[in-house]
Amino acid sequence: QVQLVESGGGLVQAGGSLRLSCAASGRTVSTYNMGWFRQAPGKEREFVADIWWSSDTTYDTYYADSVKGRFTISRDNAKNTVFLQMNSLRPEDTADYYCAADRFIRPDHRMDPKEYAYWGQGTQVTVSS
């Protein structure tokens, strides 16, 4: 089992930045797909970004069009932690942000939340205009 705990959410003005963290425990997640999703009130959970192991020393990333160029996903395997650096935040980025993890026989970009078995409890991000 993998336990995930997000942190780093908060209230920020438009144009500001936040860095979300997702600390994993229970298992080493260095070869796991790690994803960030978000859910605004009244809306479905949507993909934000993911990072997956593509070779011994390389990870690949993928971003939703809405955050490309503004958000950066990264991981620190020594800390078993994944990060989401969010810059140039907009009011439409307001949502609960969730970290997800799973391991696949063929690591690749996974944007369907149904494909992830492990989820954190979420952290709230509010961007004021």
Side-chain angles (χ1 to χ4, degrees):
Q1 293 292 327
V2 175
Q3 293 80 44
L4 303 172
V5 178
E6 303 96 333
S7 61
L11 173 64
V12 64
Q13 288 188 332
S17 298
L18 283 174
R19 188 192 195 203
L20 305 184
S21 298
C22 172
S25 61
R27 290 184 181 173
T28 299
V29 294
S30 60
T31 59
Y32 279 56
N33 271 60
M34 303 295 294
W36 284 99
F37 293 78
R38 66 186 182 186
Q39 188 166 16
K43 294 188 176 181
E44 293 187 353
R45 191 165 297 190
E46 66 172 1
F47 169 82
V48 175
D50 66 336
I51 183 167
W52 66 95
W53 177 65
S54 63
S55 72
D56 286 345
T57 59
T58 302
Y59 288 90
D60 287 339
T61 60
Y62 190 90
Y63 298 90
D65 287 343
S66 58
V67 307
K68 200 173 296 182
R70 301 187 297 123
F71 290 11
T72 302
I73 188 171
S74 62
R75 62 197 303 163
D76 184 338
N77 290 333
K79 298 181 179 179
N80 221 27
T81 299
V82 174
F83 304 97
L84 185 68
Q85 178 66 43
M86 306 187 296
N87 299 329
S88 303
L89 283 162
R90 305 167 180 168
E92 54 264 39
D93 294 319
T94 295
D96 291 327
Y97 283 71
Y98 297 89
C99 175
D102 211 330
R103 188 167 60 179
F104 304 97
I105 295 175
R106 295 181 180 179
D108 200 350
H109 163 52
R110 307 276 178 169
M111 64 183 298
D112 186 347
K114 298 184 185 68
E115 296 190 87
Y116 289 85
Y118 304 106
W119 290 85
Q121 82 291 346
T123 185
Q124 188 174 54
V125 171
T126 303
V127 184
S128 63
S129 56

